Amino acid sequence: MQGVTVVDHPLVAHKLTLMRESGRSTKSFRELAREIGLLLGYEALRDLPVDMVEIETPLESTLAPMIAGKKLVLAPILRAGLGFLDGFLEIAPSARVAHVGLYREPATLQAVRYYFKAPADIADRLVLVLDPMLATGNTAVAAIDLLKERGARDIRFVCLLAAPEGVARLRQAHPDVAIVTASIDARLDDHGYIRPGLGDAGDRLFGTR
Ligand code: URA
């Protein structure tokens, strides 16, 4: 599907399978989220432009690539997006971090805003929106609406799992936003959970259930 990358690397697939297992501890789930975050970040940033710069190796001078151009903003959607953040910061330690506080109203599944803070120069930066689960798409669309209102122009959305319904909704609302995911699962259930899924990502990350 155009604008959607499913990262099917065996390491990602294996780690995702471990995360799906219901008996997995909070500690292990959290470690896996960080590791997959790092691997998805690597894929999401694969087309970053580079400049050739002159450097000195211990043996001679040479031209070698260095990342050029836009700097990054990582924008985790609270709270489950925080579970991804550390892995991304490991590969992009200078990135700025925007916090997007949205929760799903249980009855309507609509996104409700409770916090938003983003760097002032967000318009000049590539923004990666981080949320492990792309379910109905309502939260992702609301987060990207907020980021665009603040000036963001170059946005990608990175998740662990997506439902086909969420992918369709996000592509329709924001066709300029590419999606990177480790899996597109079968469907959404009546409660807005992704099936087969991995349950409530926030609860599993923070041990609140
Ligand atoms: N959010 C979750 O944490 N899990 C789902 O399956 C859907 C939304």
Side-chain angles (χ1 to χ4, degrees), residues 104 133 135 192-194 199-202:
R104 281 205 310 178
M133 312 302 270
Y193 278 90
I194 299 174
D200 186 303

Side-chain angles (χ1 to χ4, degrees), residues 111-151:
V112 181
R113 170 183 164 173
Y114 63 90
Y115 187 78
F116 183 74
K117 185 94 179 173
D121 61 352
I122 196 165
D124 304 324
R125 292 172 178 265
L126 168 62
V127 181
L128 297 188
V129 182
L130 312 180
D131 190 348
M133 312 302 270
L134 176 57
T136 61
N138 291 342
T139 305
V141 169
I144 293 166
D145 287 344
L146 285 172
L147 290 159
K148 285 186 174 176
E149 276 167 29
R150 190 53 63 92

Side-chain angles (χ1 to χ4, degrees), residues 31-184:
E31 285 167 357
L32 289 161
R34 184 191 60 77
E35 290 168 13
I36 298 190
L38 190 153
L39 296 168
L40 293 181
Y42 176 81
E43 274 301 320
L45 299 173
R46 112 166 356 264
D47 62 348
L48 279 186
V50 293
D51 279 337
M52 297 306 284
V53 298
E54 187 159 353
I55 58 157
E56 295 289 330
T57 77
L59 303 176
E60 62 182 12
S61 62
T62 186
L63 284 178
M66 265 199 189
I67 289 175
K70 285 188 183 173
K71 304 287 187 232
L72 288 180
V73 172
L74 303 173
I77 302 179
L78 306 182
R79 72 189 155 135
L82 291 176
F84 252 181
L85 181 62
D86 287 351
F88 282 80
L89 283 173
E90 270 179 50
I91 53 166
S94 305
R96 301 292 165 86
V97 178
H99 288 90
V100 185
L102 292 167
Y103 70 87
R104 281 205 310 178
E105 215 284 309
T108 63
L109 303 182
Q110 292 305 308
V112 181
R113 170 183 164 173
Y114 63 90
Y115 187 78
F116 183 74
K117 185 94 179 173
D121 61 352
I122 196 165
D124 304 324
R125 292 172 178 265
L126 168 62
V127 181
L128 297 188
V129 182
L130 312 180
D131 190 348
M133 312 302 270
L134 176 57
T136 61
N138 291 342
T139 305
V141 169
I144 293 166
D145 287 344
L146 285 172
L147 290 159
K148 285 186 174 176
E149 276 167 29
R150 190 53 63 92
R153 293 174 299 180
D154 191 3
I155 304 176
R156 298 172 189 181
F157 184 88
V158 188
C159 60
L160 263 183
L161 289 187
E165 296 87 338
V167 172
R169 166 115 167 83
L170 181 51
R171 292 298 296 155
Q172 197 242 334
H174 293 292
D176 56 310
V177 175
I179 300 171
V180 177
T181 183
S183 173
I184 300 181

